[in-house]
Amino acid sequence: MREFISGNEAVARGAYEAGCRVACAYPGTPSSEILENIAKYKDKIYCEWSTNEKVAMEVTSGAVFAGARSLVAMKHVGLNVAADPLFSMAYIGATGGFVIVSADDPGMHSSQNEQDNRNYARAAKIAMLEPSDSEEARLLTKLGFDISEQFDTPVLLRLTTRISHSYGIVNTEKREEHPPKTYNKDIKKRLILPAHARVRHIFVEERLEKLREYSNGFFLNKIEWGDKDVGIITSGISYQYVKEVFPEASVLKLSLTWPLPDKLIREFANNVKEVIVVEENDPFLESEIRAMGIKVVGKEKVPLTGELDPYILKRAFGFSEEIHSTRSIPSRPPVLCAGCSHRGVFYCISKLKLTATGDIGCYTLGALPPLNALDTCVCMGASIGNSFGLELALGDEIRDRLVAVIGDSTFFHSGITGLIDIVYNRGTSTVIILDNFTTAMTGHQEHPGTGKTLMGEGTRKIALEDIARACGVENVYVVDPYNLKETEEVIKREVKRREPSVIIARRPCALRVKPEPPLRVIPEKCTGCKLCLRLGCPAISMKDDKAVIDKYLCNGCGMCKQVCLKDAIVNE
Amino acid sequence: MTKIVICGVGGQGIILASDILSLAAMEAGYDVKKSEVHGMAQRGGSVISNCIFGKKVYSPLIGFGEGDILLAFEKLEALRGLPYLKKDGTMIVNDYEWPPLTVASGDVVYPENTIETLKDKVKKLVSVDGVKIAMDLGNIRTTNVVLLGVLARFLPFKRESWLSVIERRVPGKTLEINKTAFLSGFPSEV
Ligand code: SF4
Ligand code: SF4
């Protein structure tokens, strides 16, 4: 059947068709929709939101031990979290087909860095596949399971934002069934003590050579002969830009990009006058091809940072046309939604002039003006350790005006260990957990605190306050962030306390509940003081020196009403 | 190959509009690709979606100077999206101002006379008061489909195939009003 689907949906489809039985992930843009789509096949594939990427990798690894075809998906930085089991699994191999999906984010549309995870395939010495559109995403996911079983290796399926979130036409096929084989205890393979691992390492190196031979003959590593003056070597989304910008050129399109097909690359290079390598971010192909002694043009022309597109590629090679220019115009950064429960906490932090270490989620937006409430954002869970480190370095200078701010899902992901560290090592930090009952930023996924699984089953709700207490924190308080007075008082009190405390600011994400009726400004009462604008609510703006509330955007949270000193904001 | 850029503000229904557009192109027998960005950008930030159709489509992304048509849901975003339009391309702009937070807080000013500025630069400019049309129909949320109707005037797909895609993609209770919204942008006499 012909369907118009995204790259992420195509990966889900490919996994289904390949007879995948277990799939795990922690949501992260641009990878989140892979598991959301796999959940459509939940009668055939067990799927879960795992607490974090490392756990996701370990659960799928267990299923792979038993011979079940399994898939784990994450965004590029998620693979850092899961890197430990990844490198072990590279030695252990795959009894059942094991596909590891990494969705990289060139251009950093929704990420803190632009790391190129092709480097992981090389470092871990496993096979890597790179699709260039939705149809290939489906096909290569399927082939990934076959390659994995044939060579006893995990396979890294490397996507980028433009593969994950672009749509194209695919031809779907029927599902094949691959029932798990019988489980056999095999400690030489799966219990990698040094003595066993030394033997496995030799296997890994031999496997890489066999894979290289396979890569040389792989039907989707293919040469499209054209004009032989220039030959372009490329992979993934860059292939599409190359076809558009250099329609006449000869192209070597690589789909199995680790290990690289050395013979095929030499054959191609020997038949063209000049070799150009077009790839986003790191010179991954380029440095490998150069190391083979082949002269290429690469990153001296093609940008190293940011995403590519046809225009950028044209400009890199000096043949772009004149374009419309625009003068500098006001930027429109993303904002916390009207009625977002995080706003109350950030308003208080900002008012109390606290130093706040931040974390990853919608709430990172609290760093933007006018709230300016966060000082740092490093990686998932870092807020808690970062805050403790500041306290250690600066002591009393900062202790009384320091908080860590972390979301509920992020806290489950990797905040708990940081909290235990503070209690264990006698810290006094204050941790605010923004509990909005969802993983909002990535599209509102369930997590261990929501009482529901990815497959839609009810489950035990894990309470944040129970965890905090179990970690040894004695001062645990729950506040309603819509109540600014209460929130401010509790934060003020707890930052001063010379013991660790946890404040849970609890309110569902504004996008998940029915809005209250909008509020209204009485123009006669409004003095135009702009105090309400400090909330940074997108529904409030100034018109003719008076505040106005957009009734279509306002969600009736009532925070602005509490901020206004002139009682100018009222319920309709 | 026809390349269409749709831009506006996160929350204006751009993704649904480009979905319908892509499916209509597929229905008409073309190869189609569509690209958009999720995540951070959807929280009220600038949003851009690309749809390309033709005999064979490679890049899902439209670079500067490549768009045949640019459909802007908001005037400031029309200015921002302008570089994507070909020198002789057509722009359809929703005559609607949504000041970003930086403007609302008074830090910067919203550019004046946007429509005139655009008229000077763009070869063919169509300006529509999509919000007013949608409000007159009784649902501001159909603005996206009104604008899609205007876009449809410039595309080679039949009115019936647009409507059948809308029937598939739009949820039951708002279907009728969305069809009316589409037809108000793409009336039969055009
Ligand atoms: S999606 Fe939810 S958590 Fe994210 S900004 Fe909007 S209201 Fe806040
Ligand atoms: S009540 Fe005030 S702060 Fe809340 S959403 Fe409406 S305008 Fe914004």
Side-chain angles (χ1 to χ4, degrees), chain A residues 167 244 325-326 332 335, chain B residues 3 34 43 77 79 98:
Chain A
Y167 289 65
E244 198 138 309
S325 57
T326 38
R332 191 190 299 274
V335 285
Chain B
K3 302 190 173 192
K34 175 178 85 127
R43 301 280 171 269
E77 297 312 312
L79 280 176
W98 181 339

Side-chain angles (χ1 to χ4, degrees), chain A residues 338-339 519 535 537 539-540 549 554-560:
Chain A
L519 272 62
L535 280 167
C537 172
I540 313 177
I549 292 178
C554 172
N555 117 318
C557 74
M559 279 189 259
C560 53

Side-chain angles (χ1 to χ4, degrees), chain A residues 2-4 29 33 109-111 132-134 161-162 165-169 224 237 239-241 243-245 307-312 314-315 321-327 329-337 361-362 364-365 369-370 440-444 511 530 533 536-542 550 552-553, chain B residues 1 3 8-9 19 22-23 26 30-46 50 56-66 74 76-80 82-89 96 98-112 117 121-123 135 140-141:
Chain A
R2 273 159 55 88
E3 280 188 61
F4 186 67
T29 315
E33 300 82 4
H109 296 283
S110 224
S111 307
S132 73
D133 61 17
S134 294
T161 299
R162 291 300 165 186
H165 290 168
S166 290
Y167 289 65
I169 299 171
E224 298 169 5
I237 191 68
Y239 165 79
Q240 308 293 353
Y241 307 146
K243 289 302 277 186
E244 198 138 309
V245 176
E307 253 190 319
L308 295 180
D309 71 24
Y311 172 76
I312 294 169
K314 276 186 227 160
R315 203 181 48 190
E321 304 107 49
E322 202 198 329
I323 56 161
H324 285 292
S325 57
T326 38
R327 61 205 150 99
I329 40 179
S331 65
R332 191 190 299 274
V335 285
L336 294 171
C337 303
C362 281
T364 317
L365 296 171
M441 178 96 258
T442 47
H444 301 101
L511 294 188
K530 295 191 179 174
L533 290 184
C537 172
I540 313 177
S541 59
M542 297 300 287
D550 182 323
Y552 294 107
L553 285 179
Chain B
M1 203 155 39
K3 302 190 173 192
V9 182
D19 266 358
S22 308
L23 292 176
M26 187 174 158
Y30 293 99
D31 187 19
V32 196
K33 281 189 181 162
K34 175 178 85 127
S35 183
E36 62 210 13
V37 162
H38 302 202
M40 275 280 181
Q42 279 181 319
R43 301 280 171 269
S46 306
N50 294 166
K56 164 89 187 136
V57 178
Y58 289 104
S59 168
L61 211 54
I62 301 171
F64 284 166
E66 294 187 338
E74 199 271 349
L76 184 62
E77 297 312 312
L79 280 176
R80 202 188 312 282
L82 185 60
Y84 289 101
L85 190 64
K86 265 188 189 152
K87 273 282 176 185
D88 59 353
Y96 173 65
W98 181 339
L101 216 55
T102 43
V103 169
S105 60
D107 295 341
V108 281
V109 288
Y110 194 98
E112 282 175 10
T117 314
K121 300 200 174 214
V122 174
K123 183 124 175 277
M135 295 237 274
I140 189 173
R141 292 197 188 280

Side-chain angles (χ1 to χ4, degrees), chain B residues 116-175:
Chain B
E116 283 66 37
T117 314
L118 290 169
K119 245 183 209 144
D120 286 348
K121 300 200 174 214
V122 174
K123 183 124 175 277
K124 185 167 164 77
L125 183 86
V126 183
S127 141
V128 203
D129 195 341
V131 174
K132 181 167 182 302
I133 298 172
M135 295 237 274
D136 289 347
L137 291 174
N139 189 343
I140 189 173
R141 292 197 188 280
T142 61
T143 309
N144 57 347
V145 182
V146 172
L147 295 170
L148 195 63
V150 180
L151 173 67
R153 297 184 204 165
F154 298 88
L155 298 177
F157 320 140
K158 290 200 194 75
R159 194 173 274 95
E160 301 72 58
S161 55
W162 281 104
L163 290 173
S164 91
V165 172
I166 291 173
E167 267 165 28
R168 272 189 282 144
R169 271 305 268 107
V170 174
K173 42 183 213 298
T174 59
L175 177 61

